[in-house]
Amino acid sequence: MTSYIIEGGRRIDGSATCSGSKNASLPIIAASILNGKTTKLYHVPNIHDTNVTLEILKILGCKVTKNGGKIEINSKNMNSHEIPEHLMREMRSTVILAGAILGRFKEVTFSYPGGCDIGARPIDLHLTAFKKLGVTIEEGAGYIYCKCEKLIGNNIDFDFPSVGATENAILAAVLAEGTSVISNAAMEPEIIDLANILNKMGAKIVGAGTNVITVTGVKNLKEVGYDVMPDRIEAGTLLCSAAITGGRIELNNVIPEHITPIIRKLEETGCKLEVGENTIHLVAPKRLKAVDIKTMPYPGFPTDMQSIFAGTLTTAKGSSVIIENIFENRYKYVNELIRMGAKITVEGKMAVIKGVKRLCAATVEAADLRGGATLVLAGLSAKGTTRVNHIEYLLRGYENLDKKLNNMGAKITKVEEN
Ligand code: EPZ
């Protein structure tokens, strides 16, 4: 087990640079399967989730070389379309590989994905999209087998704007015969990043970032180099680290328009923000004001920032109401914050946070990626020494978070215990 030992009560004061986006890198790595050639990616974060995805590509026969954030993938000799079950379980986003493998090989075998326990996380919308494209699906004990003679473009209309299902539909449709129109598509920036690299490869995708995406199938795709977009959730996390400690941060390599709702809400708490082209400067007040949050699909307030913002509001003046509309089990971190003296009640989708003057240091347990991040921020704010156990969850999605915070005045030590 890996833990962070945090000496709290210290203001964050300094600058940090966001890494490449985890949630853009994963489907973009999957896209490298489609061209059967070399794909060079830059700014891929060196985190567990990207490393597992690259591991799977290697097992499937791709040649993968890593040099820091530079990744080179040659999928020419890819010779298997069966995603190893033990790696499927490692995380949810492995299901994105299914669409890309289907797109290239017209068949794929995979199991139900694993990932953070923040809700049921079904993949019915993914499978519906595949069926619309002419795929037959056989579900057995723990595996799903998808096969088709050829992929035929079609209209795909999602009941919910699922990010992953939208990405999978695009990946499977790019080499299909004919045109696919994806309606009620997710509009997240990561979808735009995926469409950008695919169009750079020679795909014909129009409308990414809107709720109607049109994919005109092409015969093959070129080799390509691509620079992954900055991580917007890491950006929000680092801004909140300054907000919760009454500090100040100069944030670099951020796309402000990707996090407008977070900027707006931070301003509502009394933080002063100066927004540049790819920088944000934030100065926090001594004590934040309470605000209300409702998570929504993009461009609404992102569910991935729900726990992080809730933690930030535990010491605000007044009561905050949080409504989580995307996942049905994304309040697991609340009991851990209560152990640190937070006053939070949860009822269904709603959490009510009554601001307290100070949090108290404690030993707490991370149970998922973003829930773990909020415990780290709470530890920065609480006076005394907080120990956050199971930060393996954080290492899935944050590159060098402890180093970035320590460079801005935090005192975090990582300890490994077996
Ligand atoms: C992506 O997950 C992100 N992960 C998540 O970030 C993010 O929270 C989520 O989108 C929403 O923005 C990656 O991009 C790797 P969804 P995804 O499909 O694609 C339901 C993080 O912390 N649903 O948009 O799995 C689902 O149960 C992670 O970085 C179905 O019902 O999210 C959920 O309630 C956590 N059937 C809602 O839709 C389906 O077939 C949103 O899920 C698919 C989804």
Side-chain angles (χ1 to χ4, degrees):
M1 171 178 74
T2 311
S3 307
Y4 279 160
I5 311 291
I6 306 169
E7 292 302 324
R10 304 162 65 92
R11 289 173 71 248
I12 287 293
D13 188 348
S15 63
T17 300
C18 293
S19 298
S21 163
K22 163 178 89 82
N23 291 349
S25 297
L26 299 171
I28 283 173
I29 290 169
S32 70
I33 291 170
L34 287 169
N35 63 7
K37 300 180 180 84
T38 297
T39 300
K40 290 182 181 151
L41 301 177
Y42 305 95
H43 290 118
V44 174
N46 178 23
I47 52 176
H48 175 274
D49 280 13
T50 50
N51 293 332
V52 168
T53 309
L54 293 168
E55 204 42 47
I56 294 174
L57 259 56
K58 273 192 215 157
I59 292 170
L60 298 180
C62 295
K63 190 166 172 301
V64 177
T65 47
K66 275 180 68 178
N67 172 7
K70 290 193 191 77
I71 309 275
E72 193 167 309
I73 302 163
N74 186 330
S75 59
K76 182 164 175 284
N77 299 323
M78 197 170 155
N79 49 27
S80 161
H81 37 73
E82 185 163 343
I83 304 176
E85 194 197 351
H86 71 285
L87 289 176
M88 266 305 285
R89 292 184 174 286
E90 288 270 321
M91 58 190 203
R92 158 107 187 151
S93 43
T94 35
V95 68
I96 292 295
L97 295 171
I101 297 170
L102 252 185
R104 167 99 183 266
F105 295 102
K106 316 289 179 278
E107 69 177 297
V108 62
T109 307
F110 62 102
S111 58
Y112 274 89
C116 279
D117 175 13
I118 53 179
R121 307 192 78 181
I123 57 169
D124 56 307
L125 299 175
H126 300 244
L127 301 180
T128 308
F130 293 162
K131 284 179 200 152
K132 283 276 185 171
L133 296 172
V135 176
T136 51
I137 294 172
E138 177 201 315
E139 295 190 48
Y143 74 89
I144 301 168
Y145 176 58
C146 302
K147 178 146 180 58
C148 61
E149 283 315 304
K150 54 184 175 179
L151 290 156
I152 315 276
N154 199 348
N155 296 336
I156 297 168
D157 198 339
F158 284 125
D159 296 345
F160 180 86
S162 154
V163 173
T166 301
E167 291 164 345
N168 248 336
I170 292 171
L171 288 162
V174 157
L175 294 172
E177 273 183 25
T179 297
S180 300
V181 179
I182 305 167
S183 307
N184 197 21
M187 304 196 278
E188 272 71 2
E190 291 78 14
I191 310 264
I192 300 174
D193 227 28
L194 174 63
N196 287 344
I197 186 174
L198 287 167
N199 283 337
K200 210 174 165 189
M201 286 182 185
K204 289 194 173 62
I205 304 166
V206 173
T210 74
N211 59 0
V212 179
I213 301 173
T214 305
V215 183
T216 308
V218 293
K219 288 227 175 323
N220 48 49
L221 297 166
K222 306 187 295 257
E223 66 177 53
V224 75
Y226 193 75
D227 202 344
V228 170
M229 67 177 245
D231 194 306
R232 61 191 172 101
I233 306 302
E234 184 193 24
T237 307
L238 292 168
L239 290 171
C240 285
S241 75
I244 194 173
T245 57
R248 181 195 76 75
I249 183 171
E250 182 70 40
L251 190 61
N252 303 303
N253 192 36
V254 53
I255 301 179
E257 53 271 24
H258 285 174
I259 57 168
T260 310
I262 300 163
I263 292 171
R264 257 204 322 269
K265 282 296 168 186
L266 283 168
E267 285 170 339
E268 251 184 78
T269 65
C271 292
K272 296 279 175 271
L273 287 90
E274 268 165 59
V275 175
E277 185 147 326
N278 56 5
T279 59
I280 296 178
H281 183 246
L282 175 145
V283 180
K286 218 166 147 23
R287 191 174 187 195
L288 301 173
K289 283 181 270 185
V291 297
D292 296 340
I293 304 279
K294 275 194 185 71
T295 66
M296 298 300 282
Y298 195 89
F301 190 95
T303 172
D304 292 348
M305 280 298 299
Q306 179 259 100
S307 60
I308 294 153
F309 223 92
T312 304
L313 293 167
T314 51
T315 54
K317 191 170 175 359
S319 287
S320 305
V321 177
I322 314 274
I323 311 275
E324 170 56 57
N325 289 310
I326 308 293
F327 288 102
E328 67 275 21
N329 181 21
R330 208 163 194 180
Y331 286 124
K332 284 211 307 299
Y333 64 90
V334 166
N335 286 338
E336 300 305 299
L337 287 177
I338 290 170
R339 286 165 61 84
M340 297 180 73
K343 293 224 176 323
I344 309 176
T345 51
V346 175
E347 212 166 301
K349 296 179 10 168
M350 180 164 78
V352 179
I353 303 167
K354 202 169 165 313
V356 296
K357 275 235 175 356
R358 280 216 80 82
L359 291 176
C360 327
T363 295
V364 289
E365 309 276 316
D368 60 64
L369 168 56
R370 308 301 177 184
T374 201
L375 298 180
V376 173
L377 267 53
L380 294 177
S381 157
K383 244 184 170 11
T385 305
T386 291
R387 182 186 177 108
V388 182
N389 290 329
H390 291 299
I391 59 117
E392 304 84 52
Y393 287 104
L394 272 113
L395 302 178
R396 293 189 41 201
Y398 288 98
E399 187 180 53
N400 300 325
L401 181 63
D402 52 345
K403 288 196 187 69
K404 289 175 181 171
L405 293 171
N406 285 341
N407 287 342
M408 297 192 284
K411 216 156 171 270
I412 303 174
T413 319
K414 183 158 76 171
V415 292
E416 318 265 347
E417 252 169 35
N418 34 29

